[in-house]
Amino acid sequence: MPLQGAAAAAELLFYVNGRKIIEKNADPEQMLLPYLRKRLHLTGTKYGCGGGGCGACTVMISTYEPASKKIRHYSANACLLPICSLYGAAVTTVEGVGSTKTRIHPVQERLAKCHGSQCGFCTPGMVMSIYTLLRNHPEPTSEQMIAALAGNLCRCTGYRPILDACKTFCKESICCQRKANGKCCLDQEDDLFDNKEEKVSTSLFSTDEFQPLDPTQELIFPPELMRMAESQPKRTLLFRGKRVTWISPVSLDELLDLKAVHPEAPLVVGNTSVGPEMKFRGVFHPVLIAPARIPDLNVLKYTDDGLTLGAACSLSLVKDTLTNAIVEFPEEKTRVFHAVLQQLITLGGEQIRNVASFGGNIISRKSTSDLNPVLAASNCMLNLASRGQKRQIPVSDIFADGVGNNTITPEEILVSIHIPHSRKGEYVSAFRQAPRRENALPITNAGMRVLFEEGTDIIKDLSIFYGGAISTTVCAKQTCWTLIGRHWNEKMLDEACRLVLKEIALPGSAGGENIDYKKTLMVSFFYRFFLEVSQSLKTMDPCHYPGIPMEYRSVLQDFKTRMPQSIQMYQDIEPSQSPQDPVGRPIMHQSGLKHTTGEAVYIDDLPSVDGELFLAAVTSSRAHAKIVSVDTSEALKGAGVFDVITAHDVPAANEFYFSDDPEIIFARNKVICVGQIVCAVVADSDVHAKQAAAKVKIEYEMLEPVILTIEEAIKHNSFFEPKRKLEQGNVDEAFETVDNIIEGEICIGGQKHFYMETQSMLAVPKGEDKEMDMYVSTQHPAIIQEIVAASLGVPANRIMCHVKRVGGAFGGKILKTGLLASVAAVAAHKTGRAVRLILSREDDMVITGGRHPFIAKYKVGFMNDGKIRAVDAKYYINGGCTPDESVLVAEVSLLKMDNAYKIPNLRCWACVCKTNLPSNTAFRGFGFPQSGLVTETWITDVADKTGLSPEKIKEINMYKKNGQTHFKQKLDPQNLIRCWNECMEKSAYYSRRTTINEFNKENYWKKRGIAIVPMKFPFGLGTPYLSQAAALVHIYTDGSVLLTHGGIEMGQGIHTKMIQVASRELNIPMSCIHFCETSTTTVPNACASVGSAGTDVNGMAVKDACQTLLKRLQPIIKKNPTGTWNDWRLQ
């Protein structure tokens, strides 16, 4: 059906939170997430990654199937859902679940009261995943709950309190029942803590407070959509956007006609493959065909020889169908089903599986597909159709010639997939290894099948397919042919491993992964398959086949994800403490309910300012180059483009010298890293700004050297000054007297912050006196004010920086945020309009740095008894292209390198390497995680050398007496020793170690481990003034109190704690105290909220302010000493 002959564009009709939406000009490029946020102003659904990987944008989609008369509820990522795919569907967002203004839902209530939110940015997505599960299963199992959350990431809470909330909905008991008396470990407080002087509590919330879950109170499916589905005949839907046309046919013949006319048009069902390609790789398709409504592509049919599934069936449907089939059919027939199901369980998150199609996963032929290797190995068949022709081919055919395979012609459609029953003597397995078990792309995967001659172990047929190794799924064809006719034994195994490595050659730069590791995985997968089949042969005929040794068998047990069991213990309050005094009690986060209802406002949730513009950065694509020219002519012609901002538009400072090397806003003559901002485009929408930014042409002239690694920096002597050195004792002399010396080197990689809320800011010119309001997601409003004022050439008192809350930071929203805020401020200054800059996740990852990569070289001298006498170490730190905080990180790594150990003779250097990478910066721990890991590495080396256990070496060398650290700080180690002893005792460390050793003796391949690590983390920021703080407390005539301070709320609950402090000091309920925002207008020159110091320093400031106010109130209080707060305010 050519486009010219197609029907007129349809109206898009769907519902959101019970409200009818009719979109007359639906744009196929419009995703649901920006539609909800910008068009419907439902900002509870968050932008986290834009690629379906984090779950922050999770919503519930509900559809009605008239044939079965059933409503289907499923979770989905709004960032990947085209609105055109929602015709006739009902969307529920976090706002539709519950609200503080009307009624909060039990999910929202329990997540908040169980302390399941910190920064709160991921929380609406968590709520929607749990809510959707409860709509389908009001009493879920713990396995269902864990699976429902597998597609949701949290970067600050840790998942324990989130799961605590989830457990309250699960039908089975979560009690561990491990104790001999049948009591739960949670009831063993008296056994855990014998010290009666310090009462310890484990109760973080009271389940008695929770409202019950009542499924009858949920939002109903819109009756209009039900009537539409039942009465209206299905018709072809056509939506025309400015650049893309969307066609949704209703019959297979219509689809085949469309494909004949538009052979290059992709088929879109869940948009989990085509969507990311169009968004992240710039692939453009003028026509998109959506075949999800065609019955032939949704078929589900059992046949005599297997199961046929439509290509448009979702992966979740396939998973459920296979699960049911395994129960229904004998085990001998379902080995293929088992293997495919095993891969489906960990493929993506629930949100992806709910929309991604079975056929799309196959046809995309991506090397990362976990399904293709096992489908190909299992002789699954593809049913293809084109106009006037139908045919069937094996899945393996589409991988026969590698990436260039053209087995399926552009006009052909994959209609369905046939998964055969396994036969007698046939064994099938699937394997994968990924950075994490769920919701992660595999490093390598495999599918393997063997068929034996009846009643023997002679190989009749063998299939081995690997994925992830090269650019597509690959078959070890020669290996399989060679092994046919062999017996299934050790000799065959040795030859198979050799042949596989010879046949499948991995490219030299296989995705940056370690080639040797991938080769090891390939061989390991086949070895695991060998063990599985050997054991199955023994089960079939124990007399003829030996199976595998007992100590090998545990490796055949699949890893199961179980609901974690944990307990949090804290010092309980004194019985004499006033019931009104909240300090020491587990108070719910003040914004907890706002987090769970989506009402908490972050920077991009702020309402649009009249006439506001959107900014998109243009970044360098070269690591070190001279800028020859910047051509903005095409960009300026773009729709909605207002201007292009460059270094020439900066009124004052473009470079900031906090040390010898500058921090730079806009690159001027050269670029020094990929991701450096060269210029920026401002336009009337973020879409127009990004489209125009892509049209800016920059011509470069490469400069040498390009330094990316620490090794290259050392070679070129490229360092930031000063180098730091710390020394105590006589190291050289000590090395001459020790019994043993070890030397080693450890390389530690970097890490991205991946705060859920990307770098975000809104600059609003006030229109007079050069004033400007800056709304910024930052840990340090004062540095934002300072840098923006300097770049605009105005006094700091004209720049007002406001921070309500931050959606995660971890050290990554300080200096770089100041530079990005200046980009927005310069644009706002030039245009006279408000400018919003919200980095996309990909831009954020490119522009910002992260944790510093380390290379540490160490030399350790110690005695035979394990006592360490001398350490000589050198740290090389990859600082990136500008200093940022790197020298300070190097200093901290030296100051904290001793961890918890007294080293009498110590010398350590720290050198910050200057490289052509984005500047690395502060990150949780600020140098200590790296230096601490180095220290624990040589502690373990000493243990290996002496034959003593690591914990014994730690005990021998731990600080034990009052004294000084190597940087002359006084230290009383009593708490350190007490913590160590308590942890050893309460964890039953040695008995668990004995149990683990016994397990490891009995299990050759599967191992368990246990470790205990002491930690000393000195508090403070080195310079005393960095630990200062201020607070401002207002008491109004109605008795209410307004509190503000210099700390930033980024998940740690600092505002809640400050209200607790004020409540105690003023002796009034927390409900009388309100915190508005952190702002440079109320608390000037505040220090950054870093280093776990915010609560301590700001808490004392709040305490001081409250005490000052109480002194002022003393004359009134003395007149009526028995009065209440209300009595005093009336006077």
Side-chain angles (χ1 to χ4, degrees), residues 961-973:
K961 297 178 182 176
N962 288 8
Q964 288 186 336
T965 65
H966 62 297
F967 54 90
K968 304 292 189 269
Q969 183 177 21
K970 289 180 181 178
L971 175 67
D972 177 357

Side-chain angles (χ1 to χ4, degrees), residues 813-947:
K813 292 183 175 177
I814 305 175
L815 191 55
K816 180 67 79 172
T817 308
L819 300 174
L820 289 164
S822 292
V823 171
V826 168
H829 171 81
K830 183 181 181 184
T831 61
R833 308 264 284 269
V835 171
R836 192 179 295 250
L837 168 55
I838 312 293
L839 287 189
S840 65
R841 178 60 65 185
E842 56 272 27
D843 281 347
D844 195 294
M845 298 288 270
V846 168
I847 291 170
T848 64
R851 192 184 295 283
H852 294 77
F854 256 53
I855 289 182
K857 301 179 180 182
Y858 56 85
K859 179 181 177 183
V860 182
F862 55 98
M863 309 308 287
N864 289 331
D865 64 359
K867 185 69 177 175
I868 297 168
R869 298 291 186 194
V871 172
D872 192 0
K874 194 161 192 177
Y875 299 158
Y876 292 98
I877 301 167
N878 193 331
C881 61
T882 66
D884 202 282
E885 309 271 7
S886 296
V887 172
L888 192 54
V889 169
E891 289 177 9
V892 170
S893 68
L894 294 185
L895 293 171
K896 298 184 180 180
M897 69 162 294
D898 60 329
N899 192 13
Y901 312 113
K902 176 70 174 174
I903 312 299
N905 304 285
L906 182 152
R907 178 170 60 222
C908 189
W909 285 88
C911 309
V912 180
C913 300
K914 183 179 181 180
T915 61
N916 297 114
L917 293 175
S919 300
N920 289 311
T921 186
F923 203 137
R924 273 186 167 171
F926 205 78
F928 172 71
Q930 296 98 317
S931 66
L933 177 57
V934 174
T935 298
E936 292 302 320
T937 300
W938 47 254
I939 285 283
T940 306
D941 288 350
V942 170
D944 290 342
K945 186 75 173 177
T946 59

Side-chain angles (χ1 to χ4, degrees), residues 34-77:
Y35 188 87
L36 290 173
R37 292 182 57 82
K38 302 301 180 187
R39 290 288 296 275
L40 303 183
H41 306 295
L42 296 172
T43 56
T45 309
K46 304 300 182 193
Y47 169 85
C49 70
C54 73
C57 65
T58 303
V59 296
M60 185 179 82
I61 308 296
S62 303
T63 56
Y64 177 71
E65 179 49 58
S68 62
K69 297 194 178 299
K70 287 184 178 178
I71 298 167
R72 179 188 172 216
H73 304 293
Y74 59 93
S75 58
N77 293 303

Side-chain angles (χ1 to χ4, degrees), residues 1036-1039 1116 1124-1131:
Y1036 293 97
T1037 54
D1038 65 352
I1116 296 172
T1124 64
W1125 184 258
N1126 271 335
D1127 296 333
W1128 298 331
R1129 76 171 177 84
L1130 293 171
Q1131 296 179 41

